[in-house]
C-alpha cells in the first residue's frame, strides 16, 4: 500500500493546480461551489497520488512560463475533472 503524503503539502499542490487551471479554490469554497467534504476528498485523492514529483515539475514549469492563460491540469491528475468542472 502506498503511504499518503503530508496533507499541507498536498493542499498546496491542489491550490497551485487550481491556479494553473484558472480556479481559485478558496473563492470556490467561499461561494459554496465546493463543500468542506469536497475539499477534504480532493486533498485525500492528491495525498494518494504516486506522481508527486511529476506534478511538482509540471507546476514549476507553468510558474516559470510567462503565459498566464488557464491550462489543463496535469494529465492523470486525480483532481483534474473536479478542477475543470469548477472552471466551467
Amino acid at each position: 500500500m502506498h503511504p499518503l503524503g503530508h496533507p499541507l503539502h498536498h493542499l498546496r499542490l491542489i491550490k497551485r493546480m487550481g491556479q494553473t487551471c484558472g480556479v481559485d479554490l478558496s473563492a470556490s469554497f467561499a461561494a459554496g461551489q465546493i463543500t468542506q467534504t469536497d475539499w477534504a476528498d480532493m486533498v485525500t485523492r492528491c495525498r494518494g497520488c504516486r506522481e508527486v514529483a511529476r506534478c511538482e515539475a509540471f507546476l514549476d514549469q507553468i510558474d516559470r512560463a510567462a503565459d498566464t492563460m488557464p491550462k489543463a491540469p496535469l494529465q492523470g491528475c486525480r483532481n483534474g475533472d473536479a478542477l475543470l468542472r469548477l472552471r466551467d
Side-chain angles (χ1 to χ4, degrees):
M1 178 191 253
H2 176 70
L4 296 177
H6 190 277
L8 185 56
H9 179 70
H10 287 272
L11 174 63
R12 290 179 181 140
L13 288 176
I14 291 168
K15 289 186 84 165
R16 287 179 67 197
M17 190 65 73
Q19 290 171 338
T20 295
C21 297
V23 175
D24 180 338
L25 288 169
S26 296
S28 295
F29 178 73
Q33 293 174 306
I34 57 174
T35 66
Q36 239 177 342
T37 301
D38 295 331
W39 198 308
D41 289 346
M42 291 175 78
V43 172
T44 300
R45 281 193 297 273
C46 185
R47 289 179 67 204
C49 182
R50 294 176 184 252
E51 300 290 333
V52 175
R54 189 170 148 245
C55 178
E56 290 169 335
F58 172 80
L59 292 169
D60 289 345
Q61 180 181 6
I62 296 295
D63 288 348
R64 286 190 301 272
D67 184 9
T68 59
M69 293 297 296
K71 310 274 188 286
L74 177 67
Q75 186 174 13
C77 176
R78 293 175 169 212
N79 290 301
D81 290 341
L83 293 170
L84 292 176
R85 277 192 305 274
L86 287 169
R87 182 175 76 184
D88 296 336

